[in-house]
Amino acid sequence: MQSEMKIDMPAQHKKMSLKAIVRDAGIGIALLVLILIFSITTEHFLAPNNITNILTQITINLILAVGLTFVILIAGIDLSVGSVLAFACVVAGKVITIEGLDANTAIFLAVIASLLAGTLCGLLNGLISAYWGLPSFIITLGMLNIARGGALHISEAQTIYSFPEQFNDFGSASLFGIPVVFLVALLLVGIAGFVLHKTVFGRMIYGIGNNEEAVRLAGHPVFWYKVMAYTICGLMAGIAGIVYMARLNISSPIAGIGFELNAIAAVIIGGTSLMGGRGSVYGTLLGAFIIGVLANGLILLGLNDFMRQMITGVVIIVAVVLDHYREKMTTGS
């Protein structure tokens, strides 16, 4: 049975990859149309400073969405990423402001602390959800409150600031006019793409989303693959927490409120199926761009916060409806 799985999975994976390329091309066209519309209707949309702003603004959402792509591919969900970002951010903020540490040591320890905090939250999400077979919606909703409460408790509901200059400089640094934080996000997209499309682990993630029982019968440790998907998601939230600190030069216990919704929207708009098994992290990249370009363009058009929220909500609903029809076309039902 296991040898059959080894033969069938790559063929199925290649077929899904071809569909993903076609799907991503359609999403790319939608993004180009959006850019064209705002280029015509606004005066400064294509200005270099505005392009830099868009790249900077989508960075955190993109990093969170990369992690969520793994979870949604196994037909799960993680509502806690925004709160986990805040928790990791506050933990790192406490570490980086410890008196007596030199700047480089403080930065290094803060980064490690943020990564560990995010990874631990993701690991707990995965272990609890996978071991008891409980809905990830409920488990991660609980973690949303735990992480947010933890952030408020550790920080005593106070914003942490006064970070080393080297750390603050990282958040505003650019390379050839491209924000360094965005380049970090692109690197994560590339790594995630390699893992999902070129490794056994990636094939199993797709396999679990398509037919979890078949993967289990083939002798693969489904439990640990699912745990790892949530752990990766938590790790991405930890990285996003560091980027948040570096960009804004603060560590806030109320950071990340609502971030999970935008990140999930980026994944779904990018073509990853809520039913699992179909999608691409490169589509997620395009989805994050669509959300970022839409938000920026609507601001340049002078729309208020309420209208922007309404329009973004409509786009998300349309994306979910399209996902529903894609699912029906794929299954033939």
Side-chain angles (χ1 to χ4, degrees):
M1 178 73 73
Q2 189 167 358
S3 60
E4 292 178 5
M5 189 68 172
K6 288 181 178 177
I7 295 173
D8 294 343
M9 281 295 293
Q12 182 187 30
H13 190 66
K14 288 178 182 177
K15 184 186 293 185
M16 286 192 299
S17 296
L18 181 59
K19 289 181 179 179
I21 291 172
V22 174
R23 180 183 59 246
D24 291 351
I27 300 166
I29 292 171
L31 175 60
L32 290 175
V33 169
L34 203 58
I35 291 172
L36 180 61
I37 291 172
F38 287 130
S39 300
I40 295 172
T41 56
T42 64
E43 185 178 352
H44 302 292
F45 182 79
L46 292 180
N49 286 343
N50 192 54
I51 298 299
T52 300
N53 286 338
I54 292 174
L55 296 180
T56 302
Q57 289 162 4
I58 72 170
T59 296
I60 291 175
N61 190 37
L62 176 57
I63 294 173
L64 293 176
V66 167
L68 274 162
T69 301
F70 283 84
V71 171
I72 294 177
L73 279 172
I74 62 170
I77 200 73
D78 189 343
L79 299 178
S80 69
V81 290
S83 294
V84 172
L85 179 153
F87 178 68
C89 187
V90 164
V91 170
K94 280 291 188 180
V95 172
I96 205 171
T97 53
I98 294 176
E99 293 184 9
L101 292 178
D102 66 86
N104 291 332
T105 302
I107 293 170
F108 174 76
L109 292 177
V111 171
I112 296 300
S114 182
L115 299 185
L116 288 176
T119 301
L120 176 61
C121 291
L123 177 63
L124 289 174
N125 280 335
L127 285 173
I128 296 171
S129 178
Y131 184 81
W132 280 287
L134 299 173
S136 57
F137 177 90
I138 301 299
I139 301 305
T140 59
L141 183 62
M143 181 58 72
L144 179 153
N145 287 285
I146 293 169
R148 182 67 64 188
L152 289 165
H153 176 72
I154 292 172
S155 66
E156 298 178 342
Q158 300 294 316
T159 298
I160 304 169
Y161 50 91
S162 297
F163 303 148
E165 269 187 46
Q166 300 96 310
F167 185 74
N168 295 337
D169 290 343
F170 168 73
S172 58
S174 62
L175 184 64
F176 304 113
I178 303 174
V180 170
V181 289
F182 177 73
L183 293 176
V184 170
L186 273 188
L187 176 63
L188 294 174
V189 170
I191 294 172
F194 176 82
V195 170
L196 285 172
H197 298 289
K198 300 295 182 180
T199 68
V200 173
F201 173 77
R203 290 196 292 273
M204 292 304 110
I205 290 295
Y206 279 99
I208 291 170
N210 278 300
N211 192 332
E212 180 179 330
E213 189 61 23
V215 176
R216 181 179 287 106
L217 291 175
H220 296 282
V222 171
F223 173 84
W224 287 112
Y225 284 124
K226 294 175 79 170
V227 170
M228 282 303 299
Y230 285 95
T231 303
I232 290 170
C233 192
L235 173 62
M236 291 300 111
I239 295 174
I242 288 294
V243 172
Y244 180 94
M245 287 174 62
R247 270 194 57 205
L248 301 181
N249 302 331
I250 62 170
S251 178
S252 172
I254 60 171
I257 293 177
F259 283 19
E260 61 279 349
L261 301 180
N262 282 336
I264 292 170
V267 178
I268 302 306
I269 290 172
T272 298
S273 173
L274 284 168
M275 299 295 103
R278 280 175 292 281
S280 162
V281 72
Y282 304 115
T284 296
L285 171 63
L286 295 175
F289 263 109
I290 286 176
I291 289 179
V293 166
L294 181 63
N296 182 269
L298 293 177
I299 290 173
L300 292 179
L301 286 173
L303 273 67
N304 60 38
D305 288 344
F306 309 117
M307 288 298 298
R308 294 201 303 272
Q309 287 183 22
M310 290 171 62
I311 293 172
T312 302
V314 168
V315 171
I316 293 171
I317 291 173
V318 169
V320 173
V321 171
L322 290 176
D323 175 63
H324 170 74
Y325 282 105
R326 274 199 305 263
E327 185 72 20
K328 290 184 68 173
M329 290 174 64
T330 303
T331 59
S333 59

